[in-house]
Every structure is written in C-alpha cells, then in structure tokens.
Amino acid sequence: MSHCIKIILSILLFTSFSVNTNAQVNARVYKIAVFAPVYLDSAFTQDGNYRLGNQILPRYMMPGLDFYNGIMMAVDSLNKEEAPIEVLFYDSKAINGSISNPVIDSALIGASLIIASFNNRLEIKPLADFALEHEIPLLSYTYPNDAGITENPYFILINPTLKTHLEGIYKYLQRVYPTSNLTMFRKKGAVEDMIQSTFNNIGREAQTVPLKIKTIELTDSFTTSQIISYLDSNKQNIVICGSLNETFGINLVKSLSESKRYRSIAVGMPTWDALKGVDKNIEIIYTTPYHFIRTDKLGLDITNTYRNKFSGRPSDMVFKGFEAMYHFTKLLIKYEGKLIANSNDKSYKLFNDFDIQPVKPYSSDTKAVDYLENKKLYYIRKIDGQIRSVN
C-alpha cells in the first residue's frame, strides 16, 4: 500500500473516532476540535472504496492533509506527556463534516478549543457563530481571515488580515526606506482598490511625514519597458506590488529582474510567502506571521518524523498544525481553560511569537470587540530562495 493511501486511511479512521490521551483519572479533560479541508469524499466512494488508485494525490488535498499530519504529530507529543485532552477531527469538505451537521453540533458542545484551517470564506461564519454561542475559543490559522465577522470575542485570527499586513509594510518602509523611490504597481480590481486606499489612509493618519508613493495602474499585459519608465537609476527603487494576483506579482518581479541597471527591491503581499519563483535574481520583502526554523532541534525532529512516515519533506502546513495543537493546548491546560486571557503567554513558544489583540469596530466607542487578531509580523528578505534576514 502506498504511503499516500496510508495517510488517507489513517484520517478516515481518525474522523470516525476521537483520540484520548492518557489523561489522569478524575482530571479535567479538555476537548479540542480540529477542522481542516481534507476532501475525503473525493478519495473514497460512498461504499468506502478508495478511488484514486496509485495516482499522486491531487494538490488541493495536500494543505489539509499536511495540517492534519502536523496536528497528529503534536497529539503524539502531548500523549507522551499524558496531557488530559480529547481530540476530535473533522474534514470540513466531507458531506457530513459541516458545522451545520447536528451530529457535529452535539459532539462539539463542551469543547474547550476549536482549531481551524479554512480555505473557503463561506465556511468561517457558521463555525464562528457556533464558537460565540458556546463561548469556545476558535483559532483561525490560515487564509481567508475574518470573513466579515463582528462582535465575536471568541474568534481569534492567528493569520492576520490584509489590512494588518499593509499597516506593517507601510511602517517598515517608513523606518527603512523613507527617502527611496517608492512606486506601487497595481492592476484594476476591488482588492487592488482596497490595498491602495489602505496605504492612502495610513499616510493621512501617520503622525510622522507620510511616504511619497507613486501609484501606477497597469493592464495584465504590461511590459518591462513600462516598469522601467518609473524607475530611478540614481536611487534605490522600492517597488510595491499592489495586487494579490499571483501572475501579476510574478510578472512584476520578472520585469525588475530584467532591469539590472536599476537597484530595485520588490515588496510583496503576504501571499508571496507561498509563491514560488518570485525572488529569482531580485530581492523581495514580504510580511508573514509564521517563520519556521527547520534547522533547530524541534524543526529537525518534525522534519525527520515526517520523512520517516511519509517519505517526503514537510510543508509549512505541517509546522502550522503542530504549533497550533501543541502551543495552544499547553496554554489551555496551564490556565485551566482560560485561554483567551492568556493567549500571549510565551511559556510554550515553539517557533513563532504571537501578539493577540482585540480589534474593535471603527465606528464605535463602546467596549465591543469584533474579533481577536495576531498582530505579530515577521519581515522576510529573500533572494534566489535564500532568506537574507528576518526582522
């Protein structure tokens, strides 16, 4: 049996049963629910037969599978520590895996924590509403982010909103490149309008001298010569990609790499963390809430364990799953279920720092909280796939 089929079958078993660690008798047991998009229904027929044969698993299944694998590796570690937890796993793409399923609703009641890896904005609000109704902290670990959630202090964005990333980028440029030739290139679109207006608003509200950023709107078929016409051969050029569109970002960096007589650095969106090939022959800077060091003891342990089980290299989703389960479960137990009030405790830091803060409505002076958000960002500088620095 191939290792891919073993992964699928192990998940099929896990979705059917909860996992209990060796909790001490009479100790409080913390129920933790995990949601991830595994797409089991596309791998098995209704009568339970595996339908993919020996073919490679579809790419759309891998992020959810890797998140699950990271979760389970952390469960193994917690089990060795005899942590008093019960873990329930749900495939959010399964027919019976939706939060609207009454069987799932019943099983989740009494949970102490929900960890979710979303990949569809429409799936967020039902689970967030359930968390609010039952006062269960819900950690959203992946993009998309808030999905318009309001007045829900139990909804915690570990992966910050685009607005938070933009604020971080602006402050970084103010600190490091305030006098450089700053140009934002964007395409037409609603998201691009939001990016530009956010930068404009930050500049207007800045207590220091605002950045002088030229904004240029391009068509999808822009040329290198168009980009060059806005570069300054006598200054450091900071080129901001004002779009989340992957093709637009890749083509922008390609144009800069072809303009070798100009000193240029490309500043990308947070989606560049997973974008391949954008840093070839050109330095790029982007923000991310996650920085996993794979060369320290823990990083090597996770890498080796994954390689031994699945004959491959773990993606960042494995590390995200491991950190989500281990770090926040340890805090949950330490503070006897009072996770939200103690979510910034660094006692069990693995890789990343977290700065989880309440986000309040813009138009309200009340104490209402729309959601909680991790404001900690890392600034990554890369060229040719190699990290030059992390700030």
Side-chain angles (χ1 to χ4, degrees):
M1 182 184 295
S2 72
H3 70 275
C4 292
I5 297 178
K6 288 180 181 177
I7 295 173
I8 290 289
L9 289 178
S10 67
I11 291 177
L12 184 63
L13 291 173
F14 189 44
T15 54
S16 302
F17 304 98
S18 64
V19 174
N20 287 281
T21 62
N22 299 324
Q24 297 176 357
V25 178
N26 298 324
R28 176 178 177 180
V29 176
Y30 297 91
K31 184 189 294 185
I32 301 169
V34 180
F35 284 78
V38 181
Y39 297 90
L40 283 176
D41 289 343
S42 66
F44 290 88
T45 61
Q46 290 186 346
D47 56 3
N49 292 318
Y50 185 71
R51 69 169 80 192
L52 297 180
N54 291 322
Q55 64 181 295
I56 297 175
L57 291 177
R59 289 182 60 187
Y60 63 81
M61 297 182 70
M62 296 313 299
L65 283 172
D66 274 351
F67 192 78
Y68 159 81
N69 287 325
I71 291 286
M72 286 305 298
M73 289 166 66
V75 168
D76 288 342
S77 296
L78 292 165
N79 191 36
K80 292 175 183 177
E81 298 174 11
E82 298 188 355
I85 63 173
E86 176 186 4
V87 180
L88 305 173
F89 181 84
Y90 298 103
D91 176 6
S92 59
K93 298 300 179 181
I95 294 175
N96 63 349
S98 169
I99 184 59
S100 61
N101 186 314
V103 176
I104 291 181
D105 286 0
S106 175
L108 281 178
I109 292 176
S112 300
L113 175 63
I114 302 173
I115 300 172
S117 172
F118 295 111
N119 71 350
N120 187 315
R121 194 171 188 268
L122 297 178
E123 295 173 350
I124 300 176
K125 194 172 187 305
L127 193 55
D129 288 346
F130 181 92
L132 174 61
E133 179 184 358
H134 297 280
E135 300 183 348
I136 306 169
L138 166 56
L139 301 177
S140 175
Y141 237 76
T142 50
Y143 182 85
N145 312 98
D146 59 306
I149 302 298
T150 59
E151 299 183 10
N152 189 340
Y154 291 91
F155 184 58
I156 307 172
L157 293 176
I158 301 300
N159 189 39
T161 61
L162 178 57
K163 180 176 182 293
T164 295
H165 281 280
L166 296 176
E167 290 171 345
I169 290 170
Y170 193 97
K171 291 176 182 177
Y172 180 84
L173 295 177
Q174 267 191 323
R175 186 173 72 251
V176 183
Y177 299 108
T179 61
S180 297
N181 181 39
L182 296 157
T183 308
M184 177 188 289
F185 292 100
R186 53 159 293 183
K187 65 193 293 289
K188 188 175 182 179
V191 174
E192 288 75 11
D193 289 342
M194 177 268 183
I195 292 172
Q196 183 178 345
S197 65
T198 299
F199 265 83
N200 292 340
N201 291 337
I202 296 171
R204 282 193 293 267
E205 297 171 2
Q207 296 180 350
T208 57
V209 178
L211 295 172
K212 295 181 179 179
I213 303 175
K214 297 188 297 290
T215 302
I216 310 299
E217 184 174 310
L218 302 170
T219 64
D220 289 335
S221 56
F222 68 86
T223 63
T224 297
S225 60
Q226 286 178 277
I227 302 298
I228 291 176
S229 66
Y230 294 100
L231 303 181
D232 190 331
S233 59
N234 297 314
K235 298 181 71 174
Q236 175 72 71
N237 295 280
I238 304 299
V239 176
I240 305 164
C241 179
S243 175
L244 296 181
N245 183 275
E246 292 187 4
T247 302
F248 184 89
I250 291 172
N251 289 339
L252 179 60
V253 173
K254 182 180 178 182
S255 293
L256 293 175
S257 67
E258 293 173 352
S259 312
K260 299 186 184 303
R261 60 183 288 249
Y262 298 92
R263 292 184 297 124
S264 302
I265 297 175
V267 178
M269 293 292 102
T271 50
W272 283 22
D273 191 21
L275 205 57
K276 304 297 183 183
V278 293
D279 57 343
K280 190 174 182 179
N281 300 322
I282 186 76
E283 183 173 346
I284 69 169
I285 298 172
Y286 62 87
T287 53
T288 177
Y290 304 114
H291 177 54
F292 298 107
I293 301 174
R294 295 168 178 260
T295 54
D296 65 4
K297 184 180 185 304
L298 178 59
L300 290 172
D301 285 347
I302 292 174
T303 298
N304 291 334
T305 299
Y306 186 91
R307 183 182 294 116
N308 291 337
K309 281 189 174 183
F310 308 119
S311 303
R313 182 176 184 271
S315 70
D316 278 1
M317 291 299 291
V318 175
F319 286 83
K320 289 176 183 178
F322 187 97
E323 184 172 61
M325 174 58 69
Y326 189 89
H327 175 79
F328 288 103
T329 294
K330 294 292 285 186
L331 290 182
L332 183 72
I333 297 169
K334 176 179 179 179
Y335 291 103
E336 299 180 348
K338 298 177 181 178
L339 175 63
I340 290 179
N342 301 283
S343 56
N344 289 323
D345 186 323
K346 302 184 187 303
S347 298
Y348 303 103
K349 176 182 174 179
L350 300 182
F351 298 100
N352 298 293
D353 287 316
F354 299 100
D355 180 20
I356 298 171
Q357 301 295 333
V359 176
K360 298 182 178 181
Y362 293 111
S363 59
S364 175
D365 294 328
T366 68
K367 295 182 179 180
V369 173
D370 275 343
Y371 50 85
L372 304 178
E373 181 180 9
N374 174 31
K375 297 290 187 176
K376 173 63 181 178
L377 294 174
Y378 294 93
Y379 299 89
I380 310 295
R381 301 172 65 106
K382 291 176 68 176
I383 186 167
D384 290 334
Q386 301 301 312
I387 294 178
R388 285 192 167 183
S389 67
V390 180
N391 303 106

